[in-house]
Amino acid sequence: MRHSTTPPDPSPSSPGTTIRDMRIDDCEAVATIRVRGWQHAYRGLLPQPYLDRMDIAEETGQRRRYFEERGETVNVVAERPDGTVTGWACVGPHRAEDHGLPGCELYAIYVLPEQIGSGTGRALLAELTDRATDAGHADMALWVLRDNGPARRFYERAGFRPDGGEDTFLAGGALVTEVRYVRPLTPPDVRPLTPPDVRPLTRRAAG
């Protein structure tokens, strides 16, 4: 599955939250965010038994394998001052079925359900679009469930637009449709300065 999801995120971020590079010891927290994010965002969109079977321990092992084999993939997390990881996102080269497309692909962006509206999703997305731009990518693509209205509106507010790409996958025996969105990226030498109230979360590299 290639799609990403995030809740609508219109309000200011949690004070003191930091966006940083993911570390190997974040895998359990990221697995929790992903499982809880799916179970919240996809309720009513994917079969409930499929969502109920999602297991954090199993997902932790998978996240660890993906992280160790990440190659060019960039993973970042949102962390509160108390060390709680509340969001995760990753970006990298287009996956095999999209070979030949320019730019990069946003693989995933998730926040804990209780962080919806905190600004965490916006900050994670802003971090990765900046990194992708600085790496020289001309645009960023992503896949999102066709019927996930809140996520589609989130991406549209961030400048993504559907480009006509569409695909399906099986989830718990149900055929689900996803659509592709693309956003052009602005080179650093022509990018306007970001007003201080637009990016309220602070950023730092992993220690």
Side-chain angles (χ1 to χ4, degrees):
M1 280 170 281
R2 301 171 299 187
H3 56 283
S4 54
T5 183
T6 191
D9 220 358
S11 63
S13 61
S14 303
T17 297
T18 298
I19 304 299
R20 63 165 175 82
D21 288 312
M22 180 182 169
R23 301 186 291 254
I24 190 71
D25 58 359
D26 294 317
C27 287
E28 183 175 2
V30 167
T32 301
I33 291 166
R34 186 174 183 275
V35 168
R36 292 190 59 202
W38 272 59
Q39 291 172 337
H40 177 85
Y42 298 148
R43 185 176 300 275
L45 300 178
L46 300 182
Q48 193 59 42
Y50 179 85
L51 296 175
D52 292 340
R53 285 195 301 270
M54 296 185 73
D55 180 77
I56 291 174
E58 181 179 340
E59 181 67 24
T60 298
Q62 189 172 38
R63 289 300 111 198
R64 185 176 295 272
R65 288 191 296 274
Y66 285 160
F67 186 80
E68 290 172 341
E69 301 168 359
R70 61 191 180 278
E72 299 177 59
T73 301
V74 176
N75 290 266
V76 296
V77 297
E79 182 182 57
R80 289 200 300 244
D82 64 2
T84 302
V85 174
T86 59
W88 162 68
C90 62
V91 68
H94 288 288
R95 282 167 274 194
E97 59 265 46
D98 293 328
H99 182 69
L101 287 176
C104 59
E105 181 181 344
L106 180 69
Y107 298 157
I109 179 168
Y110 297 93
V111 300
L112 291 171
E114 58 268 26
Q115 289 297 117
I116 293 174
S118 70
T120 302
R122 276 189 297 129
L124 288 165
L125 181 58
E127 173 72 14
L128 289 186
T129 52
D130 275 359
R131 292 200 190 194
T133 301
D134 293 342
H137 294 294
D139 57 47
M140 178 183 287
L142 61 88
W143 291 85
V144 61
L145 295 190
R146 182 186 62 193
D147 297 331
N148 190 344
R152 294 183 68 166
R153 289 190 292 273
F154 171 87
Y155 291 122
E156 288 165 4
R157 286 196 299 270
F160 288 85
R161 296 292 181 267
D163 73 343
E166 191 169 298
D167 204 354
T168 57
F169 66 93
L170 281 172
L175 193 64
V176 183
T177 301
E178 56 186 356
V179 294
R180 187 172 58 208
Y181 274 63
V182 177
R183 169 186 163 172
L185 301 177
T186 306
D189 56 345
V190 297
R191 188 190 306 156
L193 293 177
T194 303
D197 60 341
V198 172
R199 187 83 56 82
L201 301 193
T202 58
R203 300 186 290 162
R204 61 179 171 85

